[in-house]
Amino acid sequence: ARPRQVQLLASGKTHAGRRTSNEDCFGIELELGLFVVADGMGAAGDAASRLAVDTICQHFRAAGRGDPLIEFDAAIATAAQRIHSDRRSENMAATLAALSLYNQGATVAHVGDSRVYRLRRRRIERLTRDHSVVSDIELTLGRPIQQRSSHPMGTVVTRALGGGGDARPDVLFLDVAAQDRFLLCSDGLTDSILESELRPLLARGTPDEASDLLLEVAVQNGARDNVTVIVVDVLRL
């Protein structure tokens, strides 16, 4: 059977939070079913996040309908190399969360502590595990650390694009159903809103209304970092 493009609706928003500048970046390629959030770090973090998003979107536009599992590996490796080769590379890195939706399948790729969630039949599920020191501690303890943002190692990631670190993505393939809703976000959102409180906010209205509400609540809660969200609805398969 000929592959069919999934019918999608999406909204992306970003806010500086309490920061004076915004080093987050996002990309929405609706016709490709591709969605990307990057969180920049370092003095040139804004350039790193932009490079990451642009490189991955360019790669998928050029690749057409290749296997997203393979294409994400290649695209993210290229993005990491471009950041590493930049003249400002000592002062720039980025985390990444990306989603490809096509032909009744979803491919999720991430590096660092930007996240992807799925809301299905009023149940929210986190699809990524942070590449961070705190996440490794949680794994060892066997329980979550509630105040992650205030933990002494709360901002330390163990994988990132650039910064001379490990840029390998975790890539996951899963099924998609009509009425699924996905959330991609930087850690500015999840440091400002408890995971247990995300579901009713994400479930609200259209993707545009939900993304507005998520940003609004994060800022009301005193977001200390940049906050970026993409909300994606699967309308029809």
Side-chain angles (χ1 to χ4, degrees), residues 55-94:
T55 301
I56 288 159
C57 290
Q58 287 163 9
H59 180 97
F60 271 76
R61 283 196 293 266
R65 282 297 168 195
D67 181 344
L69 288 162
I70 297 169
E71 299 305 342
F72 270 134
D73 272 335
I76 291 168
T78 302
Q81 182 56 45
R82 284 185 69 185
I83 292 169
H84 177 71
S85 301
D86 191 279
R87 59 184 173 79
R88 300 158 293 186
S89 61
E90 289 184 8
N91 297 306
M92 62 195 291

Side-chain angles (χ1 to χ4, degrees), residues 110 112-115 126-132 134-139 159 170:
H110 86 290
D113 58 2
S114 292
R115 295 180 180 177
R126 196 207 302 182
L127 303 176
T128 54
R129 187 182 83 81
D130 295 348
H131 301 134
S132 68
V134 166
S135 183
D136 290 346
I137 294 170
E138 288 176 332
L139 207 60
R159 296 192 206 176
D170 282 350

Side-chain angles (χ1 to χ4, degrees), residues 37 97 113-115 117 183-187 189-190 228-230:
V37 166
D113 58 2
S114 292
R115 295 180 180 177
Y117 292 85
L183 167 67
L184 293 81
C185 61
S186 62
D187 69 331
L189 181 79
T190 48
T228 299
V229 302
I230 298 177

Side-chain angles (χ1 to χ4, degrees), residues 25 29 34 42 51 60 68 101 112 132 162 187 193 195 213 215 224:
C25 184
E29 297 281 342
L34 177 68
L51 259 177
F60 271 76
L101 290 166
S132 68
D187 69 331
I193 301 174
E195 194 166 63
L213 183 62
L215 242 63
R224 291 183 291 184

Side-chain angles (χ1 to χ4, degrees), residues 3-8 30-33 65 101-103:
R4 293 169 296 153
Q5 171 62 19
V6 182
Q7 192 173 355
L8 305 168
L30 206 56
E31 290 190 4
L32 292 176
R65 282 297 168 195
L101 290 166
Y102 184 65
N103 196 29

